[in-house]
Amino acid sequence: MTDRKAILRCVTRVTAKRFAVVIFAVSLSFFCTGTHAATWIVTYPGPLYDGDERHEYPEAVLKLALEKTGVRFNMVPSKRIKYQSKALRQLRENIEVNVVWSMTDRQREDDLLPIRIPIAKGLIGWRVMLTHKNKPFYTKNVSSLADLLVYSPVQGIDWPDTKILQANGFNVIGAQNHSEAATLLSRQQADFYPRSVIEALSELQQEGADPDIRLKEGLALQYKAAMYFFVNKRNVTLARLLEVGLERAIEDGSFDELFYQYHGPMLKKLALEKITHFNLDNPLLPLKTPIDELKYWYVPGQFEALKKAAK
């Protein structure tokens, strides 16, 4: 009798285990079907102002990544959340936005879930300098990093770039946001404003820009940095979708096509391979940054080389 009870218990356990496996498989099937059938509402921070060209490329990359997954989606810019600091805070709390693009650092990767594919191919770490035409810095010959450290840059207080510049010896003037930083520069309260190459030229040309703000030509800073898409830590499925979509776009060449469509003219004009640039250390760079994955990064001169190869 004891043996019979033991056998029954064993059969019951096996049956229950098989039933659980079946239920799991069916649930997974429904989940996968739902992922493709449902419409994903992807909400991201809206532009600071009408015609804000800085938003166009990240939005285009986000759309491309989602298209490559085959899911149905609707991209919605948030009307209330525009400044990056608030957007990151709301994303961490899972309120109103579910995707934000931002330069990465260790704190942001602790707070949020990064998709570790640099959507700007590292150009966020190439910094040219905006300055006021009446500041001595505008006409000063700068031949070394020591020469540059004499001058004070302005940056956002909570931007990773501020800590990077400080770690490399700069006396940084803090601003609450981009608008205040631009105002301080216009008032000549800062010597220069380091902007990534994907931002600088469009900001100089935007409507209402101070005509006295100029580009310090032939000079740049460079540090390893990546702009990622971030999602809330619990939104693992969306993170996986974006990762898969970006990788597919890289593999079929559509990612680079989009990248050069937006940045090719700027890269040609700035000619980063020919100007003087100073390499800075980035102590905030997370250890998992894929710095050895060459397909993710732009190399100066690459655009011109590709154009010649295409002829």
Side-chain angles (χ1 to χ4, degrees), residues 170-186:
F170 286 94
N171 177 31
V172 181
I173 298 171
Q176 292 296 325
N177 49 51
H178 168 67
S179 297
E180 185 178 342
T183 299
L184 291 173
L185 193 64
S186 291

Side-chain angles (χ1 to χ4, degrees), residues 140-171:
K140 180 70 175 181
N141 180 39
V142 177
S143 58
S144 68
L145 182 59
D147 290 341
L148 191 59
L149 289 172
V150 173
Y151 300 96
S152 297
V154 60
Q155 289 282 271
I157 292 172
D158 58 353
W159 298 351
D161 311 278
T162 297
K163 294 179 181 178
I164 294 170
L165 291 171
Q166 289 172 335
N168 284 272
F170 286 94
N171 177 31

Side-chain angles (χ1 to χ4, degrees), residues 17-31:
K17 185 176 181 180
R18 287 179 177 172
F19 180 75
V21 169
V22 171
I23 291 297
F24 175 77
V26 171
S27 300
L28 183 61
S29 176
F30 275 116
F31 173 77

Side-chain angles (χ1 to χ4, degrees), residues 16 21 24 31 37 52 62 71 91 116 129-130 139 143 175 180 192 217 254 256-257 278 298:
V21 169
F24 175 77
F31 173 77
D52 186 357
L62 181 60
V71 301
L91 184 64
R116 292 189 180 90
M129 302 163 209
L130 305 185
T139 55
S143 58
E180 185 178 342
F192 65 97
E217 295 187 1
S254 56
D256 274 1
E257 183 179 349
F278 304 117
Y298 172 76

